Amino acid sequence: MRRVMVIDARRCVGCEACVVACKTENHVPDGAYRDWVVQETRGEYPSLELTIQSQRCNHCSNAPCVANCPTGASHYRGDGTVQVDRDKCTGCRACIASCPYGARYVAPEGHVEKCTLCVHRLDRGKPTACEEVCPTSAIATGDRGDRGSVVALRLRRGTASVVTPEAGTEPNVSYVR
Amino acid sequence: MQPHTEIDSTRSAAIALAERFWGWEIPVYLFLGGLVAGLMLAVSAAVILIGRDRITRAMKLGLLGAPVLLSIGMGALFLDLTYKLHVFRFYTTLELSAPMSLGSWVLLLVYPVQIALVIAMPVEELVPWLDRVPAIGRAREIAAAHVTKLAWAGVGLGVALGIYTGVLLSATVARPLWSSGALGFLFLASGSSTGVAALMFAEEDHEALGWLGRADLGLIAFELAVLLLWIVGLMTQGPLYREAAALLLSGPWAPAFLGMVVFGGLIVPAALEGLALRGRALHSRLVPALVIAGGLLLRFVIVYAGQEVGFVAG
Amino acid sequence: MGETPPFARRRFLSLGAGTAAAVAAARIGLSSDAEASIGTSDPGTDGDVVRSVCEVCFWKCGIQGHVKAGRLTKIQGSPAHPLSNGKLCPRGVGAVGLAYDPDRLVKPLLRVGARGSDSMKPVSWEEAIGFLADKLDGIRKKHGPEAVALFNHGAGASWFKHLFQAYGSVNFGAPSFAQCRGPRDVAFDLTFGSDPGSPEILDISRSNCVVLLGSHLGENMHNTQVQDFAELCARDADLIVVDPRFSTAASKAKTWLPIRPGTDTALLLAWIHVVVTEGRHQREYVEKHTNGWGELSAHVATFTPEWAAVETGLDAEIIRTTARRIAAAAPAVMVHPGRHASWYGPDDTHRARAVAILNGILGAWGHRGGFFRPNGMKLAKYPTPAYPKAKPPADRRPGEAPFALEPLAQGLRRATIDGQPYPIKGWFVYGTNLIQALPQRAETLKAIEALDLLVVCDLLPAEIASYADVVLPEASHLERYDDLLGVSWHRGGVALRQPMIDPPGEAKPGWWIAREIGHTIGLGAYFPWKDVKEYLAERCRLSNVDFAELQREGIVLSPAKPTVVEDGLALTFATESGKIELYSEKLKAAGFDPLPVFRRQDAAPPGYFRLLYGRAAAHTFGRTTNNRLLGELSHNDRVWVNAKVAADLGIADGATVRLVNQDGVESAPVKVKATERMRGDCVFMVHGWGHTAKGLRYAKGKGADDSELVTRVAVDPVMGGTGMRVNFVAFRKEA
Ligand SMILES: Nc1nc2c(c(=O)[nH]1)N[C@H]1C(S)=C(S)[C@@H](COP(=O)(O)OP(=O)(O)OC[C@H]3O[C@@H](n4cnc5c(=O)[nH]c(N)nc54)[C@H](O)[C@@H]3O)O[C@H]1N2
Ligand SMILES: Nc1nc2c(c(=O)[nH]1)N[C@H]1C(S)=C(S)[C@@H](COP(=O)(O)OP(=O)(O)OC[C@H]3O[C@@H](n4cnc5c(=O)[nH]c(N)nc54)[C@H](O)[C@@H]3O)O[C@H]1N2
Ligand code: SF4
Ligand code: SF4
Ligand code: SF4
Ligand code: SF4
Ligand code: SF4
Ligand SMILES: [Mo]
């Protein structure tokens, strides 16, 4: 199984409901975020283009945060997601230094946290908190290997892009139009 | 020209990516790690090149100081951990891809070699203390018998430790300023030159001072070359890397980097030392002091400036 | 597991039903495959589930709260409620931050200092109600019961409407009419015999072409509408957005028309001109269902795209081609009626009429992808004595705004100041912050000065509360029952607001407050029930609704009936002629233009920019800006200024300025968002920032308040709407 998230950029309106839902679902501390929305406007009036992306940890297949974690706390889970085992985490922040996306933060308890792809929910057959709330159904998570899944459908539909491919991390969160 | 872009982000309000995740502890740790590597490397090299009999008192003091400084450095690293209770986790695993894990294990190997070197070549004042314990006496004999092997181990570990302090940063990938293989060599060179400089600081033997001075000069030249390589590399890698390099060359960090690290910490001491070696000036403690200060500042500048440019905006 | 199916069903339908089974199976498969659950922090969705209704805005989505050990951990959309479909907007989710806002009102307060000095002392409920009961009594004896006005907004106001109708007043004003939907409702009412309602009866998701004039969907976050809007975008249907600002919706559009503010009527007339002259209307529909086609054709003959191009600043050819695209999609088309429509005063009802007419000749009303006929549920009243006969409202002078559907809030304010046609001496203000909501603040303050009694019932110490004689702390929508809430949508039904947690301190639900006041002032007969549950249970019994089921599910749906012609709906119109009145005899008889006309707006004085305002997705006016959970989100407390204009004025992006309006009124310091997304002749602010009340410790001093700068209004003579986009501002740089 390879869990991925595919976000339909045509739908997303940048409302940040996903941010608030994540914060309340996962008790994300004040000032920290597991997901966030970036709006980028290109062009000059009146020829403009706006890209809106709900971003989070990309659950990279080539994750520098995992490679650089000295304790194995940051690791790949069998489902293709990247997770942090808080019992192993020393708070050295090598992973924060290594994440090109700024996806991680130090929790008040001292360990490092980030988006878990809500595997605690996916494992129980529920959608991620951000996916569940999203009024535009822009967010979808699922097994990309399952051809019938929404994510597979979306990936087949058009060209998927990822945030900052130059970083070479092979993200598993992608955006389709 | 990039087309006009405007970025709005949830995070621009509360947390900026530019936010510093590593404070003073990391540069201090990297500096002391480099310094200790340099000390070990320099004395071990001396043992191999000029023989153990010509090891000076300053060098022995250097050997003695190394584990102490290393412990201070590791203390800084410990202070940096936000989950200190889990510090033992460094030693329940070996993560081959993680420099920090490799580094922690190298540090564990460094200690016994350093202790062995210390007891093989103790400063006089230490001898009666060591002799009080019979077991140490036996260990001394063994260490003394294998001093050359120990010195080779010291060279190897010194190089490993020195390079590690740079690789720790370059392996992160995520910070353009650090994304360079040159960083390992830069920190090795800088660590070695600060190690030699520390010895020069304590050295009273005129002849030894000469060797050390020449060695330091060579290391500084090497370091300048690697610095140049690193910067040129950044300038040619792309706009983001150029932006990172610009932080040091023309941006907010330029005075510290160009003025204090490159000029004050490398060129000035090299020039002074050059004069001294040609007999045009007296050997002065100013030279090693400048090198050491420059080395410390280099770590601060690189660690701090590196955190200011990332791959993504907003 | 239990919550997955409805969610999944909805989403998969949009992608083709064939995949649903496969995906559902795959999802269930995950659990066996996956590793043991990892050490994530506490999920917010454990604990008890309480289904209820949101009130962070007025859409009234179904919500479900997750409560653990008496603490609300999370709110999500109720899957069973047709207005949420399990999903929510950020404000609804963020209401957890309202529940635990440390600035909440927790005790009744009595004013001790001068009005507006904001010095209050906490008192008991007995004392507070005793005080206001005495005052009410005094007012009634001296001036009659109609001398008390109720200003209100929100579903919770029903208890107080009941109370004051029993008392003998119908002076009920809400800024959600004359400052909001009024012109639109009146125009549609005149044309179709009914208004688009709330939630608007728009079949956006199935439309082939949607036209938005203003209507910044995606920033205007009415949940269901945004859900439907996303379906539209995902279907790649035609979308035309007319807005001087490159709104979120504009970014999704096939065509963005950056119109000169205040010229939409010209554009609409030109569109109608193209449709009419090129015969692109729905012939049969027009013949069968409309009146006044001939007059309309004659009227629009001269409104060519070339004429409109001059007025609107748009390209004539684009006006022509967009008109054709709109017509080509008919009848699955809609020119969105908008919601906040009080923009330019005398232009507003005309503009909304032009929208209605265009929809009318394209057959949008009653067709799939246009305006549907909602289903509702008939709910019985709780039997109480008939209300005493009250004097007609004091808001209008004879002949003024004859088509207003509700009393005008600013008219009640005027009557308070000049005592005409009769004095108003007491205000009961429920759930509206009149200081920010009403334009021309000086008038509001003058009226407040003239009052014998100002009672404010609110959740937070908003500006209006600082002028109050008595402040009554209400329990929030998460902490109280309210009256039954009818749901009027594709599927109709009844929803229940019920408490998830206890209110903070001594805050009390509205029903309790109204009932207590009622019993204290001798209106006990109108509140015969012992508590709200008894009341609700009885209403449910009389309406044949299972109260237990309603409590459990939060909603009970009625059977589905056809909502569009395609499904068998028979079209009827509640106008006098029983037809769509393209030409309005009623307007004509009252001395107004029977067909829409365009009036050119005054240009900005040199150096000034037209002040526009709107919504930001994560906030509802000023009511959420103190919510710490939402306050962390994107910066939207800035004033948008065209980037080149800003550069010319030497104002950098992020610089702090003050705005000074044409009357010399100066705003609080506000940061500039220099952006290509704005026309150069106007600026834009999000309404609701710039709080000054000291009790709003988090929001106070953040951003600036647009309403402070609305010192001028243009009143719509048809229905009394206060057009507020007639103010101009210049910049004063801050050191
Ligand atoms: N998130 C959120 N959503 C809300 C609310 C909220 O507080 N927060 N409030 C709700 C309420 S009560 C209402 S009434 C609605 C209001 O929401 P809408 O009915 O959508 O309000 P508008 O005034 O149409 O929208 C403001 C837009 O009109 C544009 N505009 C300004 N002047 C002109 C003009 O002359 N012509 C044209 N074509 N466009 C113009 C502005 O640039 C802005 O993009 O939102 C509702 N939804
Ligand atoms: N300048 C300007 N003026 C405007 C607008 C604009 O965009 N610009 N928009 C106009 C529009 S479209 C509208 S609809 C109106 C809206 O105007 P209002 O209805 O006045 O909206 P808010 O400003 O949100 O005021 C709501 C008040 O109710 C309180 N409140 C919230 N929930 C509850 C509750 O459950 N119980 C009680 N008792 N109180 C509660 C809040 O704390 C707040 O003080 O404003 C209009 N006025
Ligand atoms: S909730 Fe959905 S629409 Fe809103 S910002 Fe997140 S992804 Fe976009
Ligand atoms: S986004 Fe960052 S934290 Fe997430 S897997 Fe990739 S590198 Fe690691
Ligand atoms: S902070 Fe924790 S997860 Fe991150 S690298 Fe260090 S030990 Fe690993
Ligand atoms: S998947 Fe879960 S943890 Fe990740 S951003 Fe969404 S809600 Fe947050
Ligand atoms: S649209 Fe948002 S704020 Fe309004 S009722 Fe629905 S969830 Fe609540
Ligand atoms: Mo409104």
Side-chain angles (χ1 to χ4, degrees):
Chain A
M1 175 171 51
R2 173 119 164 267
R3 276 176 170 149
V4 297
M5 179 178 277
V6 184
I7 296 175
D8 188 337
R10 299 173 310 174
R11 290 174 173 267
C12 175
V13 294
C15 70
E16 297 174 315
C18 47
V19 180
V20 186
C22 179
K23 291 203 78 150
T24 49
E25 169 71 27
N26 296 304
H27 304 312
V28 179
D30 291 351
Y33 298 91
R34 290 188 184 186
D35 55 351
W36 59 93
V37 177
V38 179
Q39 305 206 15
E40 192 179 313
T41 311
R42 277 178 312 278
E44 283 180 42
Y45 174 92
S47 321
L48 294 166
E49 223 178 282
L50 173 66
T51 312
I52 307 174
Q53 288 184 335
S54 166
Q55 300 184 354
R56 55 189 52 58
C57 165
N58 283 301
H59 297 274
C60 308
S61 289
N62 180 21
C65 60
V66 174
N68 283 309
C69 174
T71 64
S74 286
H75 64 283
Y76 300 105
R77 197 171 183 251
D79 56 4
T81 62
V82 171
Q83 303 292 350
V84 182
D85 181 344
R86 64 189 280 183
D87 291 333
K88 285 190 187 162
C89 177
T90 60
C92 71
R93 308 194 293 301
C95 53
I96 294 184
S98 310
C99 174
Y101 306 102
R104 295 171 166 247
Y105 58 89
V106 180
E109 299 92 320
H111 64 284
V112 163
E113 287 181 345
K114 63 168 193 73
C115 163
T116 59
L117 212 70
C118 281
V119 286
H120 66 287
R121 291 172 63 91
L122 294 179
D123 287 353
R124 287 183 280 156
K126 291 178 168 190
T128 70
C130 51
E131 173 180 5
E132 180 170 60
V133 77
C134 174
T136 69
S137 302
I139 303 175
T141 30
D143 180 2
R144 72 169 298 165
D146 171 3
R147 286 187 55 81
S149 64
V150 178
V151 289
L153 280 173
R154 284 188 178 183
L155 287 173
R156 275 205 301 281
R157 191 181 74 218
T159 36
S161 60
V162 298
V163 185
T164 326
E166 313 85 277
T169 59
E170 296 170 35
N172 284 311
V173 174
S174 42
Y175 301 83
V176 292
R177 289 208 68 87
Chain B
M1 254 315 274
Q2 286 269 100
H4 175 86
T5 58
E6 296 167 18
I7 299 217
D8 272 306
S9 164
T10 309
R11 300 192 299 184
S12 55
I15 51 163
L17 281 179
E19 200 191 356
R20 206 170 271 161
F21 45 86
W22 277 339
W24 63 270
E25 298 92 341
I26 295 297
V28 164
Y29 164 68
L30 296 181
F31 166 74
L32 289 174
L35 177 61
V36 167
L39 282 171
M40 198 160 70
L41 197 56
V43 181
S44 300
V47 170
I48 294 165
L49 294 176
I50 59 176
R52 63 178 297 179
D53 301 335
R54 291 159 83 183
I55 295 301
T56 62
R57 177 179 158 77
M59 296 177 187
K60 290 178 178 170
L61 277 173
L63 278 183
L64 189 59
V68 179
L69 293 172
L70 189 58
S71 303
I72 297 174
M74 288 183 73
L77 181 66
F78 177 72
L79 284 183
D80 174 65
L81 299 181
T82 53
Y83 214 131
K84 298 189 173 52
L85 274 181
H86 286 174
V87 64
F88 71 94
R89 288 293 186 181
F90 279 107
Y91 296 109
T92 55
T93 178
L94 169 64
E95 298 292 332
L96 291 175
S97 63
M100 204 182 260
S101 174
L102 294 171
S104 338
W105 286 106
V106 167
L107 290 172
L108 273 203
L109 297 179
V110 164
Y111 274 110
V113 172
Q114 284 188 338
I115 304 293
L117 282 168
V118 168
I119 58 176
M121 298 173 285
V123 279
E124 282 152 48
E125 293 88 333
L126 206 60
V127 177
W129 290 90
L130 294 176
D131 284 347
R132 269 196 212 162
V133 187
I136 295 184
R138 270 197 305 284
R140 266 188 71 187
E141 281 164 27
I142 302 171
H146 296 90
V147 118
T148 321
K149 282 184 201 142
L150 281 175
W152 278 110
V155 169
L157 285 172
V159 169
L161 185 57
I163 289 185
Y164 152 68
T165 60
V167 169
L168 182 70
L169 297 183
S170 63
T172 56
V173 185
R175 314 287 144 187
L177 188 69
W178 300 343
S179 298
S180 165
L183 232 53
F185 295 98
L186 177 63
F187 278 36
L188 174 64
S190 167
S192 308
S193 73
T194 51
V196 171
L199 295 177
M200 286 168 74
F201 213 81
E203 193 55 81
E204 267 142 18
D205 181 303
H206 194 77
E207 193 191 358
L209 214 48
W211 304 326
L212 291 172
R214 268 190 294 279
D216 210 34
L217 211 52
L219 286 167
I220 287 177
F222 178 53
E223 188 177 342
L224 278 170
V226 183
L227 260 179
L228 195 69
L229 222 78
W230 171 50
I231 297 290
V232 169
L234 288 179
M235 299 297 284
T236 53
Q237 264 186 78
L240 209 60
Y241 299 86
R242 264 200 299 284
E243 190 188 323
L247 281 177
L248 303 185
L249 300 180
S250 53
W253 294 96
F257 179 70
L258 292 178
M260 291 156 84
V261 174
V262 176
F263 192 70
L266 295 171
I267 295 176
V268 170
L272 289 176
E273 187 57 33
L275 291 179
L277 287 175
R278 293 202 197 155
R280 302 252 200 99
L282 282 178
H283 281 289
S284 104
R285 296 233 158 99
L286 181 63
V287 171
L290 284 175
V291 171
I292 291 173
L296 179 59
L297 205 62
L298 175 76
R299 303 318 191 279
F300 268 97
V301 169
I302 293 184
V303 170
Y304 280 21
Q307 297 179 59
E308 286 182 14
V309 183
F311 278 102
V312 290
Chain C
M1 232 16 262
E3 289 146 54
T4 311
F7 166 80
R9 204 181 308 131
R10 188 185 146 75
R11 200 186 50 195
F12 298 139
L13 279 180
S14 71
L15 288 157
T19 61
V23 178
R27 275 204 178 282
I28 296 160
L30 297 188
S31 30
S32 56
D33 224 301
E35 293 170 14
S37 200
I38 55 149
T40 55
S41 48
D42 273 342
T45 32
D46 287 355
D48 301 333
V49 172
V50 184
R51 301 203 165 84
S52 183
V53 178
C54 184
E55 181 83 26
V56 186
C57 81
F58 313 99
W59 199 256
K60 301 197 219 33
C61 299
I63 52 176
Q64 65 187 36
H66 296 263
V67 183
K68 204 154 46 180
R71 203 172 161 90
L72 179 66
T73 54
K74 190 181 169 183
I75 299 171
Q76 63 185 68
S78 158
H81 199 295
L83 291 181
S84 20
N85 303 303
K87 294 164 173 295
L88 283 187
C89 90
R91 302 163 295 156
V93 197
V96 178
L98 168 68
Y100 300 111
D101 188 328
D103 299 337
R104 282 278 297 275
L105 292 166
V106 290
K107 266 195 149 285
L109 305 170
L110 278 190
R111 180 164 62 83
V112 289
R115 261 212 185 111
S117 69
D118 209 358
S119 45
M120 308 270 175
K121 66 164 190 222
V123 295
S124 68
W125 274 102
E126 240 180 331
E127 193 176 342
I129 290 178
F131 175 88
L132 73 88
D134 285 349
K135 285 278 190 179
L136 284 176
D137 209 41
I139 293 172
R140 178 168 53 184
K141 288 202 176 108
K142 214 159 142 207
H143 307 282
E146 66 280 358
V148 177
L150 169 67
F151 289 89
N152 70 92
H153 201 181
S158 67
W159 310 108
F160 298 95
K161 288 184 181 161
H162 176 65
L163 173 69
F164 286 105
Q165 263 179 286
Y167 183 73
S169 174
V170 289
N171 281 314
F172 300 168
S176 53
F177 180 75
Q179 284 70 43
C180 175
R181 311 168 334 260
R184 169 201 89 173
D185 285 2
V186 169
F188 273 68
D189 203 42
L190 284 168
T191 314
F192 296 106
S194 58
D195 61 55
S198 172
E200 284 88 7
I201 48 171
L202 304 172
D203 197 11
I204 296 177
S205 65
R206 297 192 290 182
S207 191
N208 289 336
C209 176
V210 169
V211 181
L212 302 176
L213 302 143
S215 293
H216 49 340
L217 304 186
E219 288 156 301
N220 161 352
M221 261 326 276
H222 281 162
N223 187 6
T224 333
Q225 200 167 159
V226 171
Q227 294 183 22
D228 290 348
F229 180 61
E231 295 304 328
L232 178 92
C233 296
R235 278 201 299 109
D236 246 3
D238 202 356
L239 173 65
I240 296 165
V241 174
V242 185
D243 198 311
R245 186 178 66 98
F246 189 65
S247 60
T248 302
S251 79
K252 309 270 178 201
K254 295 265 193 294
T255 304
W256 169 44
L257 300 174
I259 196 168
R260 176 175 301 134
T263 63
D264 296 67
T265 310
L267 173 65
L268 286 158
L269 287 171
W271 275 343
I272 298 174
H273 167 95
V274 175
V275 173
V276 169
T277 55
E278 299 184 359
R280 293 175 189 271
H281 57 290
Q282 298 285 300
R283 272 163 214 280
E284 218 177 292
Y285 185 95
V286 167
E287 272 159 34
K288 211 164 136 198
H289 298 299
T290 69
N291 255 350
W293 172 257
E295 289 92 334
L296 177 70
S297 309
H299 178 70
V300 297
T302 54
F303 301 132
T304 60
E306 284 67 25
W307 162 80
V310 176
E311 300 296 344
T312 58
L314 302 171
D315 180 81
E317 209 35 48
I318 295 180
I319 296 178
R320 191 166 279 117
T321 51
T322 44
R324 291 175 187 154
R325 269 159 55 193
I326 296 166
V333 66
M334 101 182 44
V335 184
H336 193 294
R339 184 177 181 105
H340 175 68
S342 47
W343 296 358
Y344 301 98
D347 181 58
D348 292 337
T349 305
H350 283 299
R351 185 187 62 248
R353 275 263 301 149
V355 169
I357 289 168
L358 185 52
N359 282 307
I361 62 176
L362 294 176
W365 193 274
H367 276 111
R368 184 179 292 157
F371 296 69
F372 67 91
R373 161 121 8 124
N375 283 309
M377 188 189 261
K378 263 222 140 12
L379 295 169
K381 287 212 159 64
Y382 188 100
T384 45
Y387 297 130
K389 194 162 166 39
K391 275 198 194 165
D395 63 313
R396 279 171 282 167
R397 297 198 184 87
E400 191 184 345
F403 290 96
L405 298 166
E406 291 177 21
L408 310 171
Q410 85 279 10
L412 293 173
R413 178 181 70 184
R414 195 256 325 133
T416 309
I417 297 170
D418 66 16
Q420 295 304 321
Y422 53 80
I424 291 192
K425 286 294 171 189
W427 283 8
F428 194 102
V429 180
Y430 175 90
T432 167
N433 183 8
L434 295 178
I435 303 297
Q436 280 197 337
L438 292 183
Q440 300 178 300
R441 182 165 307 169
E443 298 289 298
T444 310
L445 298 180
K446 206 151 105 195
I448 288 174
E449 272 313 306
L451 290 173
D452 288 347
L453 174 67
L454 173 56
V455 183
V456 170
C457 178
D458 207 302
L459 308 178
L460 285 162
E463 284 74 19
I464 186 68
S466 59
Y467 292 92
D469 303 311
V470 190
V471 177
L472 306 176
E474 204 194 4
S476 78
H477 69 286
L478 305 167
E479 302 146 358
R480 66 176 193 242
Y481 280 102
D482 263 326
D483 206 342
L484 296 181
L485 301 165
V487 177
S488 172
W489 195 238
H490 295 282
R491 282 294 293 280
V494 57
L496 180 67
R497 172 166 297 137
Q498 54 184 335
M500 302 172 175
I501 48 172
D502 292 333
E506 290 168 31
K508 291 283 185 191
W511 64 263
W512 183 92
I513 300 170
R515 185 181 179 281
E516 261 343 86
I517 297 175
H519 279 273
T520 311
I521 62 177
L523 300 173
Y526 290 90
F527 298 90
W529 32 274
K530 147 177 128 293
D531 64 12
V532 71
K533 273 171 101 168
E534 185 182 302
Y535 168 93
L536 292 168
E538 178 61 7
R539 261 198 96 182
C540 281
R541 194 184 63 77
L542 294 170
S543 313
N544 283 322
V545 171
D546 181 348
F547 184 49
E549 183 189 344
L550 187 58
Q551 283 183 296
R552 199 170 56 243
E553 303 299 331
I555 184 158
V556 172
L557 293 173
S558 56
K561 280 179 288 188
T563 58
V564 289
V565 170
E566 289 85 341
D567 297 337
L569 173 76
L571 274 182
T572 53
F573 299 93
T575 51
E576 235 142 73
S577 60
K579 294 195 170 188
I580 302 171
E581 306 201 332
L582 304 176
Y583 181 91
S584 175
E585 296 285 359
K586 271 175 133 179
L587 282 175
K588 175 110 173 63
F592 298 109
D593 295 308
L595 284 160
V597 293
F598 169 68
R599 287 176 182 77
R600 196 172 297 150
Q601 294 297 308
D602 293 342
Y608 281 79
F609 302 85
R610 190 179 293 276
L611 173 64
L612 308 181
Y613 51 79
R615 315 280 169 252
H619 289 284
T620 305
F621 316 114
R623 65 167 60 199
T624 53
T625 41
N626 205 61
N627 181 330
R628 284 139 174 93
L629 190 53
L630 296 173
E632 275 193 8
L633 302 178
S634 295
H635 286 174
N636 41 32
D637 52 353
R638 306 208 229 168
V639 54
W640 296 40
V641 183
N642 174 278
K644 290 184 187 66
V645 168
D648 287 348
L649 293 171
I651 299 170
D653 184 44
T656 303
V657 298
R658 284 176 194 265
L659 304 176
V660 190
N661 81 352
Q662 72 282 338
D663 298 326
V665 171
E666 197 174 279
S667 76
V670 58
K671 285 212 166 89
V672 167
K673 174 186 167 93
T675 174
E676 295 289 338
R677 294 174 63 181
M678 248 350 252
R679 274 178 67 96
D681 54 2
C682 47
V683 299
F684 174 83
M685 290 170 86
V686 170
H687 172 61
W689 294 97
H691 277 294
T692 53
K694 69 168 196 255
L696 300 174
R697 287 174 295 176
Y698 183 73
K700 181 172 179 278
K702 285 203 169 96
D705 179 6
D706 63 320
S707 68
E708 190 179 7
L709 299 165
V710 183
T711 50
R712 184 193 283 177
V713 295
V715 177
D716 186 337
V718 177
M719 48 60 68
T722 56
M724 300 190 285
R725 290 181 183 158
V726 294
N727 291 269
F728 302 99
V729 295
F731 304 100
R732 185 162 298 166
K733 282 187 233 176
E734 284 284 277

